[in-house]
Amino acid sequence: MGTGLDLPLDEVMVGDCIAMLRRLPPASVHAVFADPPYNLQLKGELRRPDDSIVDGVDDAWDQFSDFAAYDAFTREWLTECRRVLRKDGTLWVVGSYHNVFRLGTAMQDLGFWILNDVIWRKANPMPNFRGRRFTNAHETLIWAARGAESRYRFNYAAMKSLNDDVQMRSDWYFPLCTGAERLRGEDGKKLHPTQKPEALLHRVLVSCTQPGEVVLDPFLGTGTTAAVAKRLGRRFIGIERDEGYAAAARARIEAVEAMPESAALALPNKREQPRVAFGLLVERGLVPAGTTLTDRHKRWRAVVGADGTLRCGAATGSIHKVGAELQQAPSCNGWTFWHIEGRDGRLRLIDEIRTEIATQGL
Amino acid sequence: MGTGLDLPLDEVMVGDCIAMLRRLPPASVHAVFADPPYNLQLKGELRRPDDSIVDGVDDAWDQFSDFAAYDAFTREWLTECRRVLRKDGTLWVVGSYHNVFRLGTAMQDLGFWILNDVIWRKANPMPNFRGRRFTNAHETLIWAARGAESRYRFNYAAMKSLNDDVQMRSDWYFPLCTGAERLRGEDGKKLHPTQKPEALLHRVLVSCTQPGEVVLDPFLGTGTTAAVAKRLGRRFIGIERDEGYAAAARARIEAVEAMPESAALALPNKREQPRVAFGLLVERGLVPAGTTLTDRHKRWRAVVGADGTLRCGAATGSIHKVGAELQQAPSCNGWTFWHIEGRDGRLRLIDEIRTEIATQGL
DNA sequence: GAGTCCTCTGAATCCGCCC
DNA sequence: GGGGCGGATTCAGAGGACT
């Protein structure tokens, strides 16, 4: 990233988001979180969702022109975000039924590769006062990679541990942003109509970034994304059109303290942990050459070679290859297939021995 | 509806859905439920950690060359559905992140007025076997009126009583269609890859139709929509391209018995409603609408309504209220008063059924 | 019969480093 | 960038077999 010097890190830029995005170098941020304005079709003006909805737009042409204007705006900022995103970066977008279908369609058309749609289930949504619809109790987030070929980051193990050791699902349950977390003016009125809860951003950022990586929010508002990014040891770039919101965001971010990096690091996925060769266990004498390994049901037995290969009749090769060949399976994880039989007859998985050596260092 | 004679009511039409839709008169159905192809575009095979192969949806009907082809198809059938829909009718569509954004965009472009997006949270989704994404644990339904000016039907009180006397939210929790409900061939394999649970259709149809009204499903498959419509005393029109699916649907529908109209009617206005979600047992089919409940001495009998109320002569309302009224008592715990009579004449307390479902979760 | 264990399966855009 | 291969990866519920 030779253009790193051009990145206005940990700053809030004030101005039109498309113009500001154009100032940023390409392929420079690891993640984007965007909470764009909703499409309420009046005079081409874009409004936030708690403004009153315009009724009586029954002219198909008007509708089309309004949606067309929103779509054009959407495609423009998404295009710039995609340019600024690194090849393996991912992008999050939030919306409700008013606009989320336009967002998702535009993303797919521009080449983004959708990974999940995630539902934020609100613990305390506003009731439907007229009793004419179901209580609108959720918002939708779309998570997408820059392209279908991206090798994006997903902190699977971190998400699993956040969720009591079962896979994190696509439906998340969080309260609205209220109480002390909600930014208010001196008059006690909320500063921003759609301030998102920090817990939501916490999960988003922990899921797809590491400390030190750069998170961009083109619709920063009062700075939830930046505040959570700073606390988690991520760098941020915020863009906000409204000077008042931007000022509130800066003050809020200033008051945040970053946690120690040891705490901010996501639990490493197993793929990211240092690899231990089976040969190392042989060299160290933990699985001496000549040892006989067997599977869980003691159906097959194979002998360890001095070079870390296994031999079982004609089958010879890595612990994985021999395991697959014996089972006539397309593949096999030898670590979780082969056991050592102790003197008492008890079986011990070779993966346990690997874990020991990995935690002891090298 | 002067063209009523042309409506092929309570029939399964076999053929291309667009061609069949064009045969139907305009403004003739009250509701549409559509579960179109998702355009999954699966590439290679996927294996579980135990090396078994996932039976993915790779059927020919789900193959489209690109988004443009899928969009064109979508606009065509949606256009015909809108033509066939009555002015005040509503349309439901189901999708996943692969296609739902295309669906929603097309609907808005065609003039549909979105009322809600509803999330079906799956109790038992398939896990993400490679640990590369969040578990895809939901599907999205879009509910829309024919136009912004439609005076559509929403059975608010019925939804509220189904939901423990609290407004029904936009996030619904149901198990997948498995076990006895899942249609299987003689080989024991599922007949259709994407059969929807009847509980889902129960809630959909009770929310937006009345007995006698007409429900159209242009992608009928093995007939879930029609079966639930018949049980609820609604008329149906089903369109299915595959003769095998259509035959299975016809047999399934034939075996369904309509509940008495008194049970099928949604409550016209607010009343005292069940404290506990008795309605959940109704939706899940554990205490089907139309069932007759009786007390321990078989002195009184009352019929279960589709919205979770009880009806016994003039007495109508929650299981508790009706029990109290009949006994002329100040109060009554309906859970420990009402029984279901089995075929063998044995009585079973509804509280036992509640206990079962409560321990199973939600 | 009660309890335990095992097997099967569901709308799935499901790996990544090294050579 | 393509091929080879090491090795990482699952939850809930139903149903059947077995103790």
Side-chain angles (χ1 to χ4, degrees):
Chain A
M1 185 170 64
T3 51
L5 289 177
D6 302 319
L7 273 187
L9 287 178
D10 305 327
E11 288 179 21
V12 179
M13 305 165 71
V14 178
D16 171 71
C17 87
I18 294 164
M20 294 294 124
L21 283 166
R22 292 203 171 119
R23 294 192 191 171
L24 300 177
S28 47
V29 309
H30 296 81
V32 174
F33 182 89
D35 185 11
Y38 290 37
N39 175 35
L40 300 187
Q41 46 271 62
L42 184 64
K43 300 167 190 168
E45 196 178 357
L46 305 175
R47 295 201 173 190
R48 299 267 174 191
D50 66 340
D51 289 350
S52 60
I53 292 186
V54 183
D55 57 315
V57 183
D58 50 4
D59 184 309
W61 173 254
D62 275 359
Q63 262 188 17
F64 177 73
S65 68
D66 282 338
F67 280 128
Y70 187 77
D71 290 346
F73 166 71
T74 300
R75 276 159 213 270
E76 236 178 328
W77 71 258
L78 277 173
T79 299
E80 289 307 316
C81 283
R82 190 157 185 272
R83 183 184 65 79
V84 169
L85 203 56
R86 294 162 63 102
K87 183 171 69 64
D88 294 338
T90 59
L91 170 138
W92 290 80
V93 166
V94 197
S96 70
Y97 68 82
H98 306 90
N99 69 326
V100 77
F101 305 115
R102 322 303 299 192
L103 294 175
T105 297
M107 286 167 63
Q108 289 179 315
D109 288 346
L110 292 173
F112 284 102
W113 188 248
I114 298 182
L115 300 169
N116 280 111
D117 56 335
V118 169
I119 303 306
W120 168 27
R121 303 174 52 222
K122 301 178 183 180
N124 44 351
M126 189 185 301
N128 185 289
F129 295 116
R130 306 283 303 271
R132 293 292 294 146
R133 304 177 181 207
F134 298 99
T135 304
N136 193 8
H138 73 275
E139 290 188 31
T140 301
L141 295 91
I142 307 176
W143 181 43
R146 189 179 186 283
E149 307 309 319
S150 297
R151 289 200 300 273
Y152 58 90
R153 165 174 290 278
F154 176 53
N155 292 322
Y156 174 78
M159 288 297 103
K160 189 169 174 176
S161 65
L162 265 186
N163 195 40
D164 205 13
D165 274 341
V166 291
Q167 288 190 343
M168 185 73 79
R169 298 171 37 121
S170 56
D171 51 337
W172 300 358
Y173 187 77
F174 289 115
L176 293 169
C177 178
T178 57
E181 189 186 320
R182 188 88 195 216
L183 297 184
R184 295 178 189 281
E186 293 179 359
D187 56 359
K189 287 186 185 294
K190 56 192 177 190
L191 274 186
H192 194 281
T194 66
Q195 185 181 337
K196 294 286 176 287
E198 295 196 359
L200 183 73
L201 268 295
H202 179 103
R203 187 175 294 177
V204 164
L205 296 183
V206 169
S207 77
C208 66
T209 64
Q210 282 289 58
E213 294 186 346
V214 181
V215 179
L216 165 69
D217 188 334
F219 305 99
L220 188 69
T222 45
T224 305
T225 304
V228 176
K230 180 177 176 186
R231 181 174 310 123
L232 288 171
R234 275 70 170 169
R235 317 298 298 266
F236 66 86
I237 302 173
I239 302 175
E240 172 52 44
R241 185 171 58 177
D242 184 288
E243 177 55 69
Y245 291 158
R250 286 197 194 96
R252 175 186 184 182
I253 296 161
E254 184 58 38
V256 168
E257 195 165 341
M259 65 179 65
E261 176 163 338
S262 58
L265 264 173
L267 198 63
N269 294 333
K270 216 163 176 187
R271 284 191 191 91
E272 295 168 327
Q273 289 165 0
R275 195 183 271 198
V276 176
F278 179 65
L280 192 65
L281 308 198
V282 180
E283 284 178 339
R284 297 270 181 100
L286 296 167
V287 182
T291 304
T292 298
L293 301 186
T294 184
D295 64 293
R296 194 162 64 96
H297 305 292
K298 301 189 184 180
R299 193 167 155 199
W300 293 288
R301 307 175 75 80
V303 178
V304 176
D307 56 0
T309 59
L310 269 195
R311 295 95 193 270
C312 175
T316 302
S318 72
I319 52 174
H320 317 292
K321 208 171 157 185
V322 173
E325 206 166 322
L326 292 175
Q327 297 178 93
Q328 302 191 328
S331 70
C332 166
N333 184 345
W335 289 109
T336 54
F337 178 76
W338 293 110
H339 301 68
I340 295 185
E341 191 168 352
R343 286 174 195 169
D344 54 357
R346 224 175 52 82
L347 295 182
R348 181 153 187 247
L349 203 54
I350 58 173
D351 195 45
E352 294 173 24
I353 302 169
R354 174 174 64 157
T355 304
E356 274 176 23
I357 215 174
T359 54
Q360 286 164 17
L362 245 118
Chain B
M1 184 171 64
T3 50
L5 288 177
D6 302 319
L7 275 186
L9 287 178
D10 304 327
E11 287 180 20
V12 179
M13 305 165 71
V14 179
D16 172 71
C17 86
I18 294 163
M20 293 294 127
L21 282 166
R22 292 202 171 122
R23 294 192 191 173
L24 300 177
S28 48
V29 308
H30 297 81
V32 174
F33 182 89
D35 186 12
Y38 284 12
N39 191 24
L40 286 188
Q41 305 291 352
L42 304 178
K43 298 211 172 77
E45 64 176 18
L46 177 65
R47 287 171 179 270
R48 298 186 178 81
D50 65 3
D51 258 347
S52 62
I53 292 182
V54 175
D55 183 16
V57 178
D58 53 1
D59 305 67
W61 49 256
D62 199 40
Q63 306 297 327
F64 295 84
S65 53
D66 51 23
F67 281 132
Y70 186 78
D71 290 345
F73 167 73
T74 299
R75 278 161 211 269
E76 232 176 333
W77 70 259
L78 276 173
T79 298
E80 290 307 316
C81 283
R82 190 157 184 269
R83 185 184 64 79
V84 169
L85 203 56
R86 294 161 63 103
K87 182 171 69 65
D88 295 338
T90 59
L91 170 138
W92 290 81
V93 166
V94 197
S96 67
Y97 68 84
H98 309 83
N99 71 323
V100 76
F101 305 115
R102 323 301 299 192
L103 293 176
T105 296
M107 286 167 63
Q108 290 179 315
D109 289 346
L110 292 174
F112 284 100
W113 187 248
I114 298 182
L115 300 169
N116 279 110
D117 56 336
V118 169
I119 304 304
W120 168 27
R121 302 173 50 223
K122 301 179 181 182
N124 45 349
M126 190 188 298
N128 185 289
F129 296 117
R130 303 303 293 266
R132 291 294 295 151
R133 303 180 177 200
F134 299 99
T135 307
N136 193 4
H138 73 276
E139 292 189 29
T140 301
L141 296 91
I142 307 177
W143 182 44
R146 189 180 185 282
E149 72 288 357
S150 296
R151 291 200 303 273
Y152 59 91
R153 165 175 289 278
F154 176 54
N155 294 321
Y156 175 79
M159 286 299 101
K160 192 168 174 181
S161 55
L162 269 183
N163 194 41
D164 198 14
D165 212 16
V166 179
Q167 284 191 352
M168 185 71 81
R169 296 169 42 118
S170 55
D171 51 337
W172 301 357
Y173 186 78
F174 289 114
L176 295 173
C177 179
T178 58
E181 189 185 321
R182 189 91 194 211
L183 297 184
R184 297 178 188 281
E186 293 179 359
D187 55 0
K189 289 190 183 293
K190 58 189 175 191
L191 274 187
H192 193 282
T194 70
Q195 186 182 338
K196 294 289 176 289
E198 295 196 359
L200 183 72
L201 268 294
H202 180 108
R203 188 174 293 179
V204 164
L205 296 184
V206 169
S207 77
C208 66
T209 63
Q210 283 287 62
E213 293 186 347
V214 180
V215 178
L216 165 69
D217 187 333
F219 304 98
L220 188 69
T222 45
T224 305
T225 303
V228 176
K230 179 177 176 186
R231 181 173 306 122
L232 288 171
R234 275 70 170 169
R235 316 299 298 268
F236 66 85
I237 302 172
I239 302 175
E240 171 52 44
R241 185 170 58 177
D242 185 287
E243 177 56 67
Y245 292 160
R250 287 198 193 95
R252 174 185 185 185
I253 296 161
E254 183 60 36
V256 168
E257 196 166 339
M259 65 180 65
E261 177 161 340
S262 61
L265 262 173
L267 273 189
N269 44 39
K270 296 177 191 171
R271 301 192 184 218
E272 184 77 14
Q273 296 304 343
R275 287 191 323 105
V276 185
F278 179 65
L280 194 64
L281 308 196
V282 179
E283 283 182 332
R284 299 266 181 102
L286 296 167
V287 182
T291 303
T292 298
L293 300 186
T294 185
D295 64 292
R296 195 160 63 95
H297 307 293
K298 301 190 185 179
R299 191 168 157 199
W300 294 287
R301 307 176 75 80
V303 176
V304 176
D307 56 2
T309 59
L310 269 195
R311 295 97 192 267
C312 175
T316 302
S318 71
I319 52 175
H320 317 295
K321 190 179 168 187
V322 172
E325 206 167 320
L326 293 173
Q327 298 177 91
Q328 302 192 328
S331 69
C332 164
N333 182 350
W335 289 109
T336 55
F337 178 74
W338 293 109
H339 300 68
I340 294 184
E341 190 169 353
R343 284 175 194 166
D344 55 357
R346 221 173 55 81
L347 294 183
R348 182 157 186 242
L349 204 53
I350 58 172
D351 198 44
E352 293 174 23
I353 301 169
R354 172 176 67 156
T355 306
E356 275 176 22
I357 211 173
T359 55
Q360 286 165 13
L362 257 128

